[in-house]
Amino acid sequence: MQRITIAKGDGIGPEIMDATLKILFAAGAKFEVDEIEVGEKVYLAGNTSGIAPESWDIIRRNKVFLKAPITTPQGGGYKSLNVTTRKFLGLYANVRPCISLHPFVDTKHPQMDLVIIRENEEDLYAGIEHQQTDEVVQCLKLISKPGCEKIIRYAFEFARSQNRKKVTCFTKDNIMKQTDGLFHQVFDEIGAEYPEIEKEHWIVDIGAAKMADTPEAFDVIVTLNLYGDVLSDVAAQIAGSVGLAGSANIGEECAMFEAIHGSAPRRAGQDLANPSGLLQGAVMMLNHIGQNDVAEKIQNAWLKTIEDGIHTYDIYKEGVSKKKVGTKDFAQAVISNLGQKPSVLKPVQYNSGKVMNLPKYTRKPARNKELKGVDLFVHWRGTNANEIGAIMKKLELPNVELTMITNRGIKVWPDGFPETFCTDHWRCRFKPKKGAQIQKENIVELLNNAIKEGVDVVKTENLYAFDGKDAFSLGQGQ
Ligand code: NAD
């Protein structure tokens, strides 16, 4: 028998978990439960990650984790359990359906029915940050080919399995040509394997504006971590139902399902909370473990309950709602509706018979990599680019010359504009002279010369060509 791990969490967590499990078992879900403790008590017992080490063994053994919201105690030093779980378990896909329930739940977007699939592990969320000079800090944006392939294939397989018609990719590849450019390129490559699905790409700024204005124009959206983080909250909010949304975090081995809201401590213990968010997470879990028929039965009963106007306080509206209920009665109403379908809202159908095909990533053959130069990043407190140009020229080697200096990406030497504002962080690009080559040893020589000349190099970045094509950005204005 399938075993799943559950955590009842904090605040309203235990109440909404009990209600959710009651509905699942009443509908005929087949699994056994192992409960673990996560959240506030565990944090306050001195465990800064909010989970005991032995609980990981249970999560990893069962592979499927249904988690109620937790309270992260105020004050420093406590790490987000969600972020830790995603990273430890390699949960690369965050899946968040945002569906409006018009006219039963208030929304400006009655036709909205989209799913945001957000990359969950990479991008600026790798948390690699450094202060480099008095004035400049950096955060590394890491995008990998396996990361892009996994999330984009997931999005297309998800669309196919759920009979969705279109996948839209959001990036900012007009600016970030390498990182977002890779995501877009992989989208085009993998998309070609799904001829029956419509594909489109939007620049994220105008795409986000379009989504906020006309969400019904979208079906499945796949995007990078940061954009997905922001957009999925916008989408849930404009669907009119933050308290009704669930999400799935999917990895190659394990998966975690939850509500998107928090532990609402002020509502705890009063039989008030709406269990729908966690229930929506649980429906995704049932689909994930192959119990699609049970998932479908629950979802249709839940839609019917909303349609019948049986509402918890958070969505209750005079004139629209029929009966204000608490957590337990709401669950009971869903159970009474099992086997029924909504008549105004669209019933769901999960039994497409299409199984998601998610092959493990296999490493591609190595490409031909050639060193083409080096960027030395220098902490220098002057303001005149010609002055630092003269200093850096002293570092040159017989085969390697200074070709460019930028400040925050903008070319300031040679031929910079005096109007360009400069910080104390300068990128100085060295490349081989015409007809010459550069070797790794030359980088060490440049650094030695920097020490001799009293130049404060804070980092180096090697410039490479892959398969003969330069794979580094030019200076803006170069
Ligand atoms: P929250 O989502 O808990 O509450 C926001 C508002 O929505 C409150 O007014 C609350 O009463 C209401 N609400 C939320 N869920 C509801 C439900 N199911 N039914 C009825 N009303 C509901 O956000 P918050 O108040 O900012 O955070 C409270 C705690 O939750 C914090 O400790 C935060 O760190 C934590 N949190 C946890 C998670 C998680 O575990 N995934 C996510 C977000 C916040």
Side-chain angles (χ1 to χ4, degrees), residues 12 16 67-72 82 243 258-267 272-275 313-314:
I12 58 171
I16 60 174
K67 185 180 116 350
I70 59 160
T71 302
T72 310
N82 273 349
E258 59 186 344
I260 71 167
H261 60 73
S263 56
R266 283 189 307 122
R267 310 287 180 191
L272 280 175
N274 189 344
Y313 83 92
D314 54 313

